[in-house]
Amino acid sequence: MDPLGSVIVETGRCIFSFFFTSIATVIKLQHNTGRLRKEFEKLEDRKNGIEEDVRLAETEGKCATEQVKGWIRKVEEIEQEVQPMLEKADRLAVQGCGPCCNILPRYRLCRRMAKKQLEVQQLISSCCFDNVVTDKKSPVRAVEKQQGPSLAGQREAEEMIEKLMDLLKGDENKRIAVWGMGGVGKTTLVRNLNNELESSSLMESIDIVIWITVSKDLDLKKVQSQIAKRLNLELDPNEVIEERAKMLLKRLMMKKFLLILDDVWEHIDLDIVGVPQTDDQANRKILLTTRSLDVCRAMMTDEEIKLDVLKQEAAWNLFAQNAGDVVEVPSINPLARAVAKECGGLPLALKTVGKSMRNKRRIELWKHALHHLQHSDPHVKHIEDEVYRRLKLSYDSLPSKILQSCFLFCSLYPENYSIRTDELIQCWIADRLINEHQPLEDCFNDGIALIETLKDSCLLEQGDCAGTVKLHDVVRDVAIWISTKQGSEKPCASILFTNITKPPKQFSGFSELTVIILVGNPINKIHDNLFAGLRKLRVLNLSQSHIVTLPPSLSQLQELRALLLRDCCYLEKLPSLGALRKLLVMDLSGTRLRELPNGTSKLKKLQELHLFRTHHLETIEAGTISGLQSLELLDMSFSAYKWDTRCNVDYGKASFNEILTLDRLSIVKLRLDKVDSVTLDSAWLMKLREFNIQISPGSCDSNNLATQHDEKRAILRGVDLMGIKGLNGLLDTASALDLVICGGISALSELSISHRLSSLESVKSLSISKCDCITSLISGDNISGTILPNLEHLSLNRLENLGAILGGMVPRKGCLKWLKTIEVVDCKKLRALISFALLQQVKNLEQIKVKNCSKMKYIIGGEVSAEMIPKLRVIELSDLPMLKTICSRLPAWPALEMIEVRNCPMLTKLPFATSNGVAATLKEIRGELQWWNRLIYSNDEIKSSLQQRFQPLKPLR
């Protein structure tokens, strides 16, 4: 073959070889691509399955094993290599194998894909793990110890912890709150409870205790994260709160838990957080601590335990523990005790002040500390930072500026002073903290709402007697500190003096003053110019001072709204008050005034006039009362003023008819010598919201019960009930009736007959005392209808001749059917409290109290069944020397909660027929230990059942 032919043949062979190789390479690349893609998809499926298993396990607090984590990392690495290969192979496949195709890249890609295919197959074959997941390195402990001081050895705290343990054990209490003022030790108490749970039998029914610190600025995601951390559950911080809640809910539904929420300031929606809220969660409980009772209500707690300040001995022990042995040095000990007392039993203050004085041995330092504490001045920065600022958080959290101002106003009263709530409300109205342009009842309701909010926030507390409130000493110090720090209008416009006998001659430079409180100061004289220039003064409170009169400059106080002179027992005369045209409240109770001041009739805006216990008041000029057309409250209880219409008109004095002209009057409290010369008709009395009217000839004695809110009380004292006329209107409308030293009738039912009253149906509370003529409450001899059908509370005291409550044949229908409480004291002839006939009437009876009835032999007569006393809760018996039985033994007591027995030596059996008959509701039996040891039981089962409920009474001194 010639050379040219050889070249052509060789060229053709090369071209054919190229095309053949190219086609083979493309076919092989397609084959390798398909196999790699198939194996890679298998690997991806296996990886996705393993990752799903890991995610599910993480909700149970587990995590992937290290082997699985390594395998997933290798898969992720090979993903980074295989995915680009497959994408490149797809592009080359689109290009095809034309003459321009580059065979070398295809060849190289084909070989790489074959190699990766083997690696993918190896990863697939190596994913058969013994365990995909494992428990986390730190297993979840049932209880995590909380750091804090131990309360071991502190009896009151240990008793509180025991009480909380008992509540947590019960199925009925799913949500429990410990509440109290800041610094009282709520967190410390619950921390100790948490730490004791580990060794408690309670953990047999609980898998885990979860402690969450909430704090003032509520962050629900933070709460979720704390719960998740405790459960070893990982939550995505970037995930929405609802998705996080689903994961928490799923996990918690598998647990029996106690969730402790410490330092809660507002309502927490546990549904949003992801905490299970089903009704049947007996083993899923919540315990929270808070300063606010409103938070307890919002969280719908089943039980609220208020933590109070420490008692004197416990407070001293805590202070001494922090101050060190120096407090036992004889020269320092009295000062140390005085310093500790200034802390008012508040643990936070006791610890902070104690530490600040620890081992200080110079007596001057203790005197210095005591002086500053007594003057509400934090003498060291620790007290300001650790006590005052922490307590100020409660003030800051009050929902309105008005509430904050009301709180600061309370600090104007002396330390440890019990403030009458009605007086406080009067001052708030006068100082424009309550809207004065509304009816008195609405003002009062607004004031009560403000007081209750402050009490619920632990900024106010109950005073020493009913109807009063006070500030805790340290809280008062904080209020004064806040006022001083703020330098606000209110503190600058108020002034308080304590323990002074002589006020300044004039308040120079105090023209903006709006409030002066000089309560309880032994002031006996006020300078003539004291009130000059005080043209903005709205509240002047000189109650319980020793003043004899007030100067004429009083008339310059033309912005005055409240003039409070209660219990100024030496006050005999006041200047003219005609210029005080804006006066809303005037309280002259307990003074020695013989006549109302001149100009009183000009007080056209006066809403309240208090003349309680004005035993020397003889003169009220005619026209004075009728001029007070804005008057809504007139209190002349136990005043000596005589309202006899005929005599008063003759002598130019105010008559009772003037009271009848006051259209806005809603509350009346006064004493009348007689009723035949005044008009007490039902129509007028029905218009009143509240009244307390005493008929007592020649007596202004004040030894009677105070009227309850919205109550209409009639008091008849020293009255001949058969002979007196004009009582019909009063008896028809009274909701409370007191009979004291009255005569003329032997049974109350005679009163109904003699005065032609239907049934005394308005009376809900009845008290009869020292009426020796009474032999029975109701006698059926002369009545045919019902009597006292709505009576709820009955008190019988010192009725020497009372032989029975019901006498004769009494109509069964309606008599005493709503009676709830009965109290009998010093009724010497009464042998039985409730006869079988009476028992048929009193199905709503809840409380029985009997004392000092020397001939009483039994409480309830006849054969008694549970259906006859379905609501009886309390039985209290004392000083009944002849008492042998309470009642016949019952198989069951439906509602009985407490029995107390004192000095009843012949009572040797309790009315329980069987151990099953011991009421499930019975909480305690109180009595003297000597009496308890003499009791006779039907069997040991009853004795054992009652023994668990017995509480010994301390002997009376």
Side-chain angles (χ1 to χ4, degrees):
M1 186 178 291
D2 58 14
L4 179 59
S6 298
V7 170
I8 291 171
V9 171
E10 187 63 30
T11 301
R13 186 183 294 116
C14 289
I15 290 171
F16 176 79
S17 176
F18 171 78
F19 277 108
F20 178 80
T21 303
S22 295
I23 292 169
T25 300
V26 169
I27 293 171
K28 193 169 184 179
L29 177 61
Q30 291 173 342
H31 175 74
N32 286 358
T33 299
R35 291 189 64 185
L36 179 59
R37 193 186 303 278
K38 183 178 180 181
E39 295 299 320
F40 185 65
E41 287 174 352
K42 287 183 183 178
L43 179 63
E44 287 289 282
D45 288 343
R46 192 65 58 86
K47 177 197 172 196
N48 290 338
I50 289 174
E51 286 182 331
E52 180 63 22
D53 291 341
V54 170
R55 277 194 293 272
L56 290 173
E58 284 176 343
T59 66
E60 300 176 1
K62 299 180 180 180
C63 64
T65 63
E66 291 301 320
Q67 187 181 13
V68 169
K69 289 179 182 177
W71 182 84
I72 291 174
R73 279 196 299 271
K74 289 179 181 178
V75 172
E76 290 171 346
E77 290 171 3
I78 210 167
E79 283 175 341
Q80 300 299 318
E81 298 174 1
V82 171
Q83 199 63 44
M85 287 184 185
L86 294 174
E87 292 172 359
K88 187 174 183 180
D90 291 340
R91 290 197 301 272
L92 292 173
V94 172
Q95 294 174 6
C97 54
C100 297
C101 73
N102 191 340
I103 194 67
L104 186 59
R106 295 169 184 261
Y107 175 73
R108 288 174 178 167
L109 179 60
C110 185
R111 292 193 63 183
R112 286 173 58 207
M113 292 180 88
K115 183 178 179 182
K116 287 300 172 188
Q117 179 188 330
L118 291 175
E119 292 180 21
V120 169
Q121 289 173 334
Q122 288 173 357
L123 282 172
I124 292 172
S125 62
S126 66
C127 73
C128 297
F129 305 109
D130 293 334
N131 293 299
V132 175
V133 295
T134 184
D135 289 330
K136 291 198 172 186
K137 291 181 180 178
S138 301
V140 177
R141 293 174 58 88
V143 179
E144 277 190 346
K145 293 280 188 179
Q146 297 293 319
Q147 294 296 320
S150 171
L151 297 176
Q154 298 184 27
R155 184 175 56 83
E156 293 174 12
E158 289 176 341
E159 288 175 355
M160 187 68 78
I161 290 173
E162 185 177 347
K163 181 176 183 179
L164 287 171
M165 287 280 195
D166 290 340
L167 289 172
L168 289 169
K169 288 174 184 176
D171 291 339
E172 65 277 8
N173 297 307
K174 300 181 179 69
R175 297 189 180 193
I176 302 166
V178 176
W179 73 289
M181 65 186 294
V184 80
K186 302 180 295 294
T187 298
T188 300
L189 179 78
V190 178
R191 277 177 179 163
N192 277 260
L193 170 74
N194 175 88
N195 296 344
E196 289 186 21
L197 282 171
E198 191 169 30
S199 58
S200 167
S201 60
L202 187 61
M203 296 310 296
E204 295 172 6
S205 58
I206 292 178
D207 298 326
I208 185 171
V209 178
I210 305 170
W211 179 287
I212 306 298
T213 302
V214 180
S215 299
K216 193 171 189 299
D217 299 319
L218 178 62
D219 183 339
L220 291 183
K221 269 198 167 183
K222 185 178 178 182
V223 172
Q224 286 180 322
S225 297
Q226 288 186 71
I227 297 174
K229 182 180 179 182
R230 185 72 180 90
L231 298 171
N232 276 347
L233 174 64
E234 294 183 5
L235 295 179
D236 186 347
N238 298 317
E239 202 161 27
V240 295
I241 196 168
E242 291 80 7
E243 292 302 316
R244 290 158 58 96
K246 289 177 184 176
M247 294 184 68
L248 278 177
L249 181 63
K250 186 174 183 179
R251 178 64 189 284
L252 287 171
M253 286 296 288
M254 299 184 291
K255 296 286 185 183
K256 296 176 291 184
F257 63 82
L258 168 61
L259 176 61
I260 299 177
L261 300 169
D262 183 41
D263 198 18
V264 180
W265 286 82
E266 60 185 279
H267 173 241
I268 301 174
D269 192 328
L270 295 176
D271 288 321
I272 292 178
V273 173
V275 177
Q277 297 298 295
T278 54
D279 292 335
D280 59 347
Q281 54 180 51
N283 294 319
R284 296 177 190 139
K285 302 199 172 185
I286 295 164
L287 174 63
L288 63 93
T289 71
T290 180
R291 298 186 186 189
S292 171
L293 187 57
D294 273 344
V295 169
C296 302
R297 296 188 183 108
M299 295 294 291
M300 296 180 68
T301 51
D302 303 306
E303 191 80 26
E304 298 85 33
I305 307 297
K306 186 174 184 184
L307 194 58
D308 290 317
V309 296
L310 299 178
K311 293 179 181 176
Q312 187 173 351
E313 183 180 356
W316 169 249
N317 290 338
L318 182 60
F319 179 83
Q321 177 185 333
N322 285 275
D325 295 340
V326 67
V327 299
E328 300 302 333
V329 175
S331 59
I332 288 177
N333 182 267
L335 290 167
R337 288 186 178 274
V339 168
K341 186 177 180 182
E342 288 296 319
C343 296
L346 188 67
L348 176 63
L350 289 161
K351 289 189 283 189
T352 304
V353 176
K355 288 175 183 177
S356 73
M357 300 304 295
R358 187 169 182 83
N359 294 329
K360 290 185 177 179
R361 297 185 174 274
R362 294 199 59 160
I363 197 169
E364 295 88 351
L365 297 177
W366 286 91
K367 289 180 178 180
H368 171 78
L370 179 59
H371 172 79
H372 283 276
L373 287 171
Q374 288 173 336
H375 290 81
S376 308
D377 178 20
H379 67 291
V380 294
K381 195 172 187 303
H382 289 306
I383 298 174
E384 182 173 321
D385 291 342
E386 296 179 25
V387 180
Y388 286 16
R389 291 189 188 281
R390 285 175 64 179
L391 292 178
K392 183 177 178 287
L393 290 175
S394 296
Y395 166 85
D396 293 335
S397 69
L398 290 172
S400 70
K401 294 290 186 184
I402 290 292
L403 266 169
Q404 291 180 340
S405 296
C406 288
F407 166 66
L408 296 180
F409 193 103
C410 297
S411 68
L412 296 173
Y413 284 86
E415 183 176 302
N416 203 35
Y417 184 86
S418 290
I419 313 166
R420 289 175 33 247
T421 53
D422 56 347
E423 177 185 309
L424 188 57
I425 292 170
Q426 290 164 359
C427 291
W428 286 346
I429 295 169
D431 207 26
R432 298 177 180 174
L433 298 175
I434 294 175
N435 178 19
E436 66 184 69
H437 303 294
Q438 59 179 338
L440 191 59
E441 181 180 11
D442 293 337
C443 290
F444 181 81
N445 293 340
D446 287 352
I448 291 298
L450 292 167
I451 287 171
E452 290 303 310
T453 300
L454 291 173
K455 287 169 71 175
D456 291 348
S457 301
C458 294
L459 292 174
L460 265 184
E461 57 187 48
Q462 180 60 43
D464 294 335
C465 53
T468 65
V469 292
K470 66 179 180 179
L471 289 176
H472 182 277
D473 290 353
V474 177
V475 173
R476 178 178 177 270
D477 292 344
V478 171
I480 294 172
W481 173 76
I482 291 171
S483 299
T484 305
K485 285 286 184 183
Q486 287 180 344
S488 63
E489 245 179 66
K490 178 54 57 188
C492 292
S494 308
I495 193 163
L496 163 71
F497 290 115
T498 56
N499 297 320
I500 63 168
T501 56
K502 187 181 293 185
K505 293 183 178 180
Q506 190 171 0
F507 287 113
S508 302
F510 285 89
S511 60
E512 299 297 309
L513 204 61
T514 62
V515 178
I516 293 178
I517 295 179
L518 290 163
V519 173
N521 285 282
I523 302 167
N524 52 34
K525 186 176 181 180
I526 290 181
H527 196 274
D528 290 348
N529 295 321
L530 179 67
F531 301 122
L534 301 181
R535 300 191 180 276
K536 293 188 178 182
L537 196 70
R538 296 196 288 265
V539 177
L540 177 60
N541 191 343
L542 304 175
S543 297
Q544 300 171 29
S545 62
H546 294 174
I547 56 173
V548 177
T549 186
L550 286 179
S553 60
L554 180 69
S555 62
Q556 297 184 30
L557 306 180
Q558 295 183 14
E559 290 294 319
L560 196 67
R561 265 96 169 154
L563 176 60
L564 307 178
L565 303 172
R566 176 176 286 253
D567 292 330
C568 293
C569 57
Y570 299 101
L571 182 63
E572 296 181 347
K573 189 173 180 60
L574 285 174
S576 175
L577 303 179
L580 307 182
R581 301 296 178 92
K582 295 185 179 181
L583 201 63
L584 300 174
V585 181
M586 183 162 66
D587 192 342
L588 306 177
S589 300
T591 63
R592 297 179 64 88
L593 291 173
R594 296 186 177 275
E595 59 181 357
L596 279 191
N598 291 333
T600 299
S601 61
K602 297 179 181 179
L603 305 178
K604 301 301 182 183
K605 290 189 176 183
L606 193 70
Q607 296 175 342
E608 299 182 48
L609 177 58
H610 296 267
L611 299 169
F612 173 77
R613 282 190 291 103
T614 47
H615 297 322
H616 302 273
L617 186 63
E618 298 174 349
T619 302
I620 300 176
E621 287 187 4
T624 297
I625 300 299
S626 59
L628 306 176
Q629 287 300 307
S630 295
L631 202 65
E632 296 184 48
L633 183 154
L634 175 62
D635 185 357
M636 295 187 67
S637 307
F638 316 113
S639 173
Y641 186 75
K642 299 183 184 300
W643 288 101
D644 186 286
T645 299
R646 289 186 292 270
C647 290
N648 286 7
V649 170
D650 293 341
Y651 288 96
K653 295 182 180 180
S655 70
F656 188 81
N657 289 338
E658 291 192 31
I659 298 177
L660 301 179
T661 67
L662 304 176
D663 292 336
R664 298 180 62 179
L665 197 64
S666 62
I667 300 176
V668 174
K669 301 179 182 182
L670 51 81
R671 186 195 65 83
L672 301 170
D673 280 317
K674 51 188 177 180
V675 292
D676 57 353
S677 61
V678 299
T679 304
L680 286 176
D681 66 276
S682 298
W684 179 71
L685 292 167
M686 288 291 289
K687 283 172 56 180
L688 299 175
R689 176 166 57 87
E690 178 183 319
F691 66 70
N692 184 315
I693 297 177
Q694 179 178 176
I695 313 297
S696 55
S699 170
C700 53
D701 182 36
S702 58
N703 295 324
N704 286 105
L705 295 173
T707 309
Q708 303 300 310
H709 185 57
D710 285 354
E711 185 179 59
K712 297 183 176 183
R713 180 178 291 273
I715 304 168
L716 307 182
R717 184 183 184 90
V719 171
D720 180 351
L721 295 172
M722 188 63 75
I724 192 170
K725 304 298 182 184
L727 285 180
N728 291 34
L730 192 59
L731 296 178
D732 271 339
T733 55
S735 61
L737 177 60
D738 297 352
L739 306 179
V740 186
I741 322 177
C742 292
I745 59 173
S746 60
L748 190 70
S749 49
E750 295 177 20
L751 189 65
S752 176
I753 298 167
S754 64
H755 291 276
R756 297 179 182 178
L757 303 172
S758 56
S759 61
L760 296 172
E761 62 183 358
S762 295
V763 177
K764 293 184 177 181
S765 173
L766 173 63
S767 172
I768 307 177
S769 60
K770 303 179 185 177
C771 298
D772 294 344
C773 60
I774 297 288
T775 59
S776 63
L777 180 68
I778 300 173
S779 174
D781 295 339
N782 298 314
I783 64 170
S784 57
T786 60
I787 186 78
L788 297 169
N790 296 307
L791 187 68
E792 295 179 4
H793 308 287
L794 174 62
S795 175
L796 306 173
N797 185 17
R798 296 180 66 179
L799 304 181
E800 295 290 337
N801 294 301
L802 182 69
I805 292 178
L806 291 189
M809 296 297 294
V810 177
R812 290 191 175 188
K813 187 177 180 181
C815 291
L816 304 175
K817 68 176 182 179
W818 294 112
L819 190 64
K820 293 180 180 179
T821 66
I822 180 169
E823 181 174 9
V824 178
V825 179
D826 285 332
C827 294
K828 307 297 185 183
K829 291 187 177 181
L830 195 61
R831 296 176 181 272
L833 180 67
I834 300 175
S835 65
F836 189 73
L838 177 57
L839 188 60
Q840 313 304 307
Q841 313 281 344
V842 290
K843 298 292 179 66
N844 289 292
L845 191 62
E846 296 179 9
Q847 293 188 19
I848 293 173
K849 297 183 180 181
V850 186
K851 181 179 181 180
N852 200 26
C853 296
S854 57
K855 293 187 177 180
M856 180 81 66
K857 290 188 175 181
Y858 59 88
I859 302 300
I860 303 174
E863 288 296 320
V864 183
S865 66
E867 293 75 20
M868 295 178 177
I869 46 173
K871 298 182 180 180
L872 186 60
R873 297 185 298 103
V874 175
I875 301 173
E876 294 183 21
L877 312 170
S878 64
D879 301 312
L880 308 175
M882 302 295 289
L883 184 69
K884 293 184 177 181
T885 181
I886 294 175
C887 68
S888 59
R889 296 187 179 185
L890 286 183
W893 289 81
L896 191 62
E897 295 178 7
M898 192 271 283
I899 298 176
E900 180 176 310
V901 178
R902 187 189 291 274
N903 194 20
C904 300
M906 296 185 70
L907 182 64
T908 57
K909 294 180 180 180
L910 293 177
F912 300 102
T914 66
S915 58
N916 293 332
V918 176
T921 56
L922 187 63
K923 296 177 180 177
E924 60 181 340
I925 301 174
R926 303 175 190 164
E928 299 132 321
L929 190 59
Q930 186 179 8
W931 165 78
W932 180 256
N933 291 333
R934 290 201 311 267
L935 282 181
I936 300 170
Y937 305 92
S938 299
N939 55 60
D940 290 339
E941 289 183 358
I942 294 178
K943 181 177 181 179
S944 176
S945 181
L946 295 178
Q947 183 69 54
Q948 300 170 25
R949 296 167 169 85
F950 177 65
Q951 295 291 332
L953 289 173
K954 294 180 179 178
L956 293 176
R957 293 180 179 177

